[in-house]
Amino acid sequence: MKIVFLGTSASTPTKERNLSSIAIRFEGEWLLFDAPEGTQRQMMKAGVSYLKINKIFISHFHADHFLGLGGLLATMNIHARDWPLTIYGPKGVEKKVAHSLEMAMLKPLFEVKCIEAKKGVIVQEEKYSIEAFPLKHEIECFGYAFMEKDKKGEFNRQKAIELGIPIGPLFSELQNGKSVRIKGKTIKPEEVMDSSKGRKGKKISMVFDTLPSTIYHKAIQDSDILIHESSFLEERKDRAEETMHSTALDAALAAKKTGCKKLVLFHLSARHKETEKFENEARKEFGNSVAATDLMEIEVG
Ligand SMILES: [Zn+2]
Ligand SMILES: [Zn+2]
């Protein structure tokens, strides 16, 4: 599993930073979170494959978070994509996507499904789930948490055969934690699962544009990695409040209060040139803090 920061700037791009978006690779699939202008070139530089994106998550419909969508869909079309793409976003996502397609004068050859995000789990896959949670911004805005499912351990196939379980569906019942009955005998999952090879799934939470608020604390609780917007430094707290954004210190306090293991700051205003200032401010409250730079990668697990 890998996280790539395709962009890390707030509001406007700079020479060093593209507008903020994040890609997560999980077992050959890429998940894209926000699609601002310039996302395509950043994807090329980072080696994020257009063809391996099946789900795009939009936090909100401020220009610096989704204006690259039309162009991205156009490129997918040029590459002859012929399988569905799902776009998740706040209320009105379908209309916004239709607008983007209209602006790009595009009739995609592939199906574009739009799903309105609501608080709670919005994607449930075999090995991971994605939860959406509301933030506190000028317009409806969502954060997203990627949650890898726990690995229960390794299935000992040989042992199962020795216990007389026929090869077939009972194997997966045991792997899914259910006991099975065979010839009047009950076999428990722990008899055939090597739990020493199990591990807890990783959790990556992404907090986009927001005022600091406890409304999203439960959703980001105990994240292995918390990626939090940090538009401003405390010296511009007034501006942060006015525009409904967080400071580096706000992000650090959120990480600390929710027991997160690592904090990565992004969505940094071009107003503050030195990245270290964001890090120094955050580290006053939360030691394991880092400010993201464009194309920075984090290997997880
Ligand atoms: Zn923004
Ligand atoms: Zn915004």
Side-chain angles (χ1 to χ4, degrees):
M1 196 189 336
K2 183 164 92 170
I3 307 168
V4 181
F5 290 85
L6 295 174
T8 52
S9 180
S11 308
T12 60
T14 69
K15 275 192 265 176
E16 296 78 26
R17 297 180 187 274
N18 199 59
L19 292 166
S20 292
S21 73
I22 300 162
I24 294 181
R25 192 191 65 197
F26 183 73
E27 296 197 350
E29 179 185 7
W30 281 102
L31 302 161
L32 181 66
F33 297 87
D34 279 347
E37 294 169 65
T39 298
Q40 294 191 61
R41 290 199 70 218
Q42 297 296 89
M43 283 170 62
M44 278 180 227
K45 288 188 214 164
V48 177
S49 166
Y50 298 113
L51 303 175
K52 289 179 181 157
I53 294 179
N54 297 323
K55 302 178 188 84
I56 299 176
F57 302 83
I58 303 292
S59 62
H60 66 305
F61 295 113
H62 273 156
D64 59 326
H65 291 260
F66 87 105
L67 275 192
L69 197 58
L72 178 58
L73 298 187
T75 300
M76 286 178 169
N77 212 41
I78 287 165
H79 283 120
R81 183 189 182 105
D82 60 0
W83 61 94
L85 172 77
T86 308
I87 302 173
Y88 302 82
K91 214 170 280 145
V93 58
E94 195 159 3
K95 217 166 143 188
K96 291 285 187 205
V97 170
H99 251 124
S100 303
L101 294 174
E102 202 182 303
M103 294 240 297
M105 296 212 283
L106 181 68
K107 287 198 170 65
L109 301 165
F110 54 96
E111 187 193 351
V112 180
K113 292 191 247 182
C114 293
I115 296 180
E116 281 186 3
K118 285 189 187 73
K119 187 182 174 168
V121 175
I122 54 166
V123 173
Q124 192 63 265
E125 294 283 349
E126 195 193 331
K127 292 189 176 172
Y128 70 87
S129 62
I130 292 184
E131 194 179 320
F133 50 92
L135 299 171
K136 207 171 171 184
H137 197 41
E138 288 168 334
I139 54 173
E140 191 180 38
C141 182
F142 281 97
Y144 297 103
F146 171 93
M147 285 172 295
E148 184 192 12
K149 299 212 170 142
D150 295 345
K151 195 164 178 269
K152 291 184 191 86
E154 210 165 86
F155 183 62
N156 190 334
R157 192 184 159 88
Q158 195 51 44
K159 180 108 183 272
I161 294 168
E162 281 165 22
L163 287 167
I165 304 160
I167 296 167
L170 292 182
F171 276 26
S172 37
E173 298 238 335
L174 285 160
Q175 286 175 58
N176 289 327
K178 290 189 193 117
S179 297
V180 300
R181 268 187 89 73
I182 194 91
K183 291 180 192 147
K185 209 170 70 184
T186 300
I187 292 156
K188 291 187 183 145
E190 46 274 29
E191 292 177 63
V192 290
M193 296 296 289
D194 180 358
S195 60
S196 69
K197 298 220 167 86
R199 64 171 178 83
K200 213 170 152 21
K202 299 285 181 194
K203 176 173 178 177
I204 302 161
S205 298
M206 288 155 277
V207 174
F208 298 91
D209 299 12
T210 191
L211 271 175
S213 166
T214 52
I215 58 163
Y216 59 87
H217 280 194
K218 195 165 170 249
I220 64 170
Q221 187 74 38
D222 299 324
S223 299
D224 292 281
I225 298 175
L226 170 65
I227 301 166
H228 199 297
E229 79 116 316
S230 166
S231 300
F232 297 97
L233 294 169
E234 276 296 301
E235 64 188 52
R236 291 313 313 269
K237 181 73 178 164
D238 56 331
R239 190 74 191 127
E241 281 175 352
E242 231 172 83
T243 54
M244 300 189 84
H245 281 294
S246 299
T247 65
L249 187 71
D250 293 329
L253 287 169
K256 187 173 158 180
K257 284 180 194 155
T258 56
C260 293
K261 295 192 182 82
K262 184 185 176 74
L263 171 67
V264 185
L265 306 169
F266 83 128
H267 198 274
L268 313 172
S269 167
R271 195 183 291 268
H272 307 292
K273 294 277 177 283
E274 301 93 342
T275 308
E276 309 82 66
K277 283 194 178 171
F278 286 95
E279 291 176 340
N280 293 341
E281 185 171 295
R283 284 173 190 160
K284 279 185 214 152
E285 285 295 339
F286 191 79
N288 196 8
S289 301
V290 60
T293 51
D294 278 25
L295 306 179
M296 182 175 106
E297 296 186 359
I298 299 176
E299 295 280 350
V300 188

